[in-house]
Amino acid sequence: MSDSSAPGSTPASPLEQSVFDEWPDAVRALFDGSSLASKMGFTASLLSVDTNGHVRTSLLGVGELYAPDSRTLCLALWPQARAARAIAQSGRAALSFVCDAAFYQVQLLVTPLAGVTGDDSGLVYLIGSIDTADAQSVHYARLTSGITFELEGEGSAVLDRWERQIEHLKQAAAAAGR
């Protein structure tokens, strides 16, 4: 796609970029841990770099992300995920996703999250704070989605697991004072 301007006029920048250090309202609502079934299909890409300099990616759904406040994000990851190991080593990750017609990229400072009782899932719980973040959009194209998915087969079991994971993330965030 290209940006066309009237001849002789100064073209406006097609890129709109905003920098933030607190979750915008639309993002906070997405990561509030509620109404997971209605948010089904949303996918965020969690990127990290391992000690060999390789980028590792984990794709996460809304049942694995919870924002307990305006500057924090709790994550639930499988311990065998390469991204989980890379984050444990570096304490850093980047989360990218599409929300409210914009592309978001958020740099996170990440630490382990304790305080989950009664959890036998084997998941690793982490808490990240926003280091730097921006959202980008262009006036000539509206982002409608990023990576999306559809659950097959045991979808209701996955949704039930996500509900439990969010409850565990809420419990751990509360124990951490968030």
Side-chain angles (χ1 to χ4, degrees):
M1 292 183 238
S2 66
D3 182 30
S4 59
S5 299
S9 68
T10 305
S13 172
L15 178 64
E16 294 178 29
Q17 185 172 9
S18 63
V19 176
F20 59 92
D21 60 2
E22 291 189 353
W23 297 117
D25 291 341
V27 175
R28 184 89 189 268
L30 182 62
F31 298 150
D32 69 1
S34 70
S35 305
L36 298 180
S38 70
K39 300 171 185 173
M40 190 67 66
F42 168 84
T43 307
S45 181
L46 182 71
L47 299 125
S48 57
V49 178
D50 68 16
T51 55
N52 294 324
H54 298 121
V55 175
R56 301 301 179 190
T57 304
S58 289
L59 299 178
L60 305 176
V62 292
E64 297 152 326
L65 302 163
Y66 170 64
D69 60 47
S70 64
R71 297 175 186 260
T72 307
L73 185 67
C74 298
L75 309 143
L77 300 176
W78 295 107
Q80 66 271 25
R82 294 180 296 180
R85 291 192 303 271
I87 292 167
Q89 294 166 349
S90 70
R92 299 188 64 82
L95 189 75
S96 60
F97 55 93
V98 172
C99 178
D100 202 25
F103 174 75
Y104 286 81
Q105 186 158 56
V106 182
Q107 304 294 321
L108 298 166
L109 302 174
V110 184
T111 59
L113 186 57
V116 177
T117 59
D119 176 30
D120 59 358
S121 68
L123 292 169
V124 172
Y125 296 104
L126 304 168
I127 189 166
S129 59
I130 297 173
D131 184 23
T132 62
D134 66 80
Q136 298 179 18
S137 62
V138 292
H139 69 273
Y140 58 86
R142 183 176 172 274
L143 290 174
T144 57
S145 69
I147 300 168
T148 59
F149 70 93
E150 185 175 297
L151 291 176
E152 296 180 355
E154 55 189 61
S156 63
V158 172
L159 188 57
D160 289 343
R161 177 173 48 86
W162 279 5
E163 296 283 353
R164 287 190 305 276
Q165 286 172 197
I166 290 295
E167 288 308 313
H168 291 145
L169 286 171
K170 287 178 179 179
Q171 181 184 31
R178 301 291 179 155

